[in-house]
Amino acid sequence: MRAAWLTGCKQLDIREIELPAPSDGQLLIDVVGCGVCGSNLHEWHSAHAGANSGPGATGHEIVGVVAGFGGTTSGFAVGDAVVIEPSAIRACQNCPACADGATWFCAHKTGAVTYGFADQMVVPAAAAYRVPVGVDLDVAVLTEPIACGVHAVRHSWTARVDGRVDGLDVVVLGAGMLGLGSIAAAKWLGAASVTAVARHRHQAEAATIAGATRVLSDSETGLSGTLRRIRPSMVIEAVGGTAGTLSLSAEAVGWRGEVVVVGAFEKPQPVNVGALTAREIRMFFPVSYAARDGVHDFQVALDLLSAHPDFRGFVTHRLPLENINEAFALANDKTSGSLRVLVGSA
């Protein structure tokens, strides 16, 4: 089978590899598609000459079809459409973190043969979630980034015991796929209003589809003042980088509100601590996904997608595995109109 390898800065190569047969409790998955995530783009930019990412090039927004299994399969059958929880691929499924559904924090992670930029994968059955009937597989590839937004809201300090935020005003900075997932999650979980801040026109249009009740431009004059007048209970920062959005989040959030940071920052960020202290602001830095009261964020994301067939338009480009470098270039160029670029089978 074929798999992509990150071999250098902005260079992915396709190689032939041998994939071991699934053992007991594992599924063989034919990969239908894998989304190009912002973290993939970071690796693509930063990889040095001679880099070797391993097969599948850490693709983790995966949708596929069960093609075989070894022994016990936990109810899956050949032909079932599934999405894969990437952190569960390497999880032991026995430690306290795994028992809590927080496989990102597994204490005994195992090796993984391949990730999603490949023809096939072998994964534990525990990492697979069946795609609901009626959900297009191209839409299902959005499960992972939307689950990140679901996790950010459900596991926040602001959320109720049941993970909902009924009646609250929420602001989401950023309308890339992570921001769109956060918008959709906040609205799905009961927010009274969701104000989105977007950079590009196609992102603003997508934010409205995702559930934003108001969309502002990040270049709008007086943006900080507009957000301060809203004084939301929660601000979700979904931009990252060096955009100054962490400071903007702290300025905008309301009294005893919360800043939820899902964007990735590599360098220290300036924040007015005095302003945070004066309003008793809480901060939450979520990572990955987990379960709450026995319900996993992935399942909530699938339920959300099942109710929103209009999210299909969020997958703006689909390219075959052999054109993976073109796919990454498209995902990297926001002026191309890309929201989520999918790499996979025809």
Side-chain angles (χ1 to χ4, degrees):
M1 55 157 272
R2 302 172 304 160
W5 297 67
L6 181 64
T7 56
C9 182
K10 297 184 180 181
Q11 183 57 49
L12 291 144
D13 294 339
I14 305 299
R15 300 179 184 175
E16 295 281 340
I17 68 167
E18 292 290 333
L19 189 65
S23 59
D24 185 44
Q26 292 185 323
L27 305 174
L28 174 65
I29 304 296
D30 284 337
V31 177
V32 172
C34 184
V36 180
C37 173
S39 62
N40 296 139
L41 291 175
H42 173 73
E43 294 166 352
W44 185 66
H45 276 286
S46 62
H48 55 79
N52 188 328
S53 66
T58 67
H60 54 272
E61 299 179 0
I62 306 154
V63 63
V65 174
V66 176
F69 46 84
T72 305
T73 62
S74 301
F76 290 101
V78 171
D80 283 348
V82 294
V83 292
I84 307 301
E85 180 195 344
S87 57
I89 295 173
R90 299 176 58 209
C92 72
Q93 301 299 335
N94 294 313
C95 69
C98 288
D100 198 37
T103 54
W104 177 273
F105 299 103
C106 174
H108 308 290
K109 293 178 181 177
T110 61
V113 176
T114 183
Y115 273 79
F117 296 122
D119 289 326
Q120 292 183 312
M121 301 177 70
V122 171
V123 302
Y129 292 78
R130 190 174 283 102
V131 177
V133 174
V135 175
D136 186 279
L137 294 192
D138 279 7
V139 174
V141 83
L142 303 174
T143 304
E144 195 275 345
I146 288 179
C148 290
V150 167
H151 183 76
V153 177
R154 289 180 82 212
H155 299 258
S156 67
W157 300 104
T158 302
R160 301 185 324 200
V161 173
D162 60 2
R164 294 185 59 84
V165 289
D166 290 302
L168 300 184
D169 295 321
V170 176
V171 165
V172 178
L173 303 183
M177 199 57 240
L178 194 54
L180 295 175
S182 299
I183 293 165
K187 196 64 179 175
W188 181 253
L189 293 168
S193 71
V194 181
T195 299
V197 178
R199 170 157 296 179
H200 302 287
R201 181 176 178 179
H202 70 282
Q203 292 176 331
E205 293 171 350
T208 300
I209 295 171
T213 48
R214 182 182 187 185
V215 182
L216 305 173
S217 169
D218 70 347
S219 60
E220 180 174 315
T221 302
L223 176 62
S224 177
T226 300
L227 297 180
R228 286 200 303 272
R229 284 190 290 275
I230 297 171
R231 279 298 188 218
S233 298
M234 178 188 292
V235 176
I236 302 176
E237 196 291 327
V239 180
T242 57
T245 46
L246 189 57
S247 179
L248 178 60
S249 300
E251 293 171 6
V253 70
W255 174 74
R256 286 189 169 177
E258 180 175 7
V259 175
V260 179
V261 184
V262 295
F265 293 91
E266 292 186 348
K267 297 180 180 179
Q269 298 296 305
V271 176
N272 185 342
V273 176
L276 296 175
T277 303
R279 285 177 281 124
E280 288 194 347
I281 305 308
R282 295 166 292 186
M283 300 190 79
F284 175 40
F285 297 84
V287 61
S288 190
Y289 5 77
R292 185 175 185 127
D293 294 332
V295 179
H296 200 280
D297 297 323
F298 250 67
Q299 189 57 59
V300 176
L302 284 167
D303 292 343
L304 189 161
L305 285 171
S306 186
H308 287 282
D310 48 346
F311 283 13
R312 196 186 198 297
F314 293 177
V315 178
T316 51
H317 302 79
R318 171 188 260 281
L319 286 84
L321 183 61
E322 57 267 25
N323 291 353
I324 190 169
N325 284 293
E326 181 184 348
F328 270 59
L330 270 171
N332 188 60
D333 179 10
K334 298 309 177 187
T335 64
S336 68
S338 67
L339 288 170
R340 188 49 93 235
V341 177
L342 187 150
V343 174
S345 58

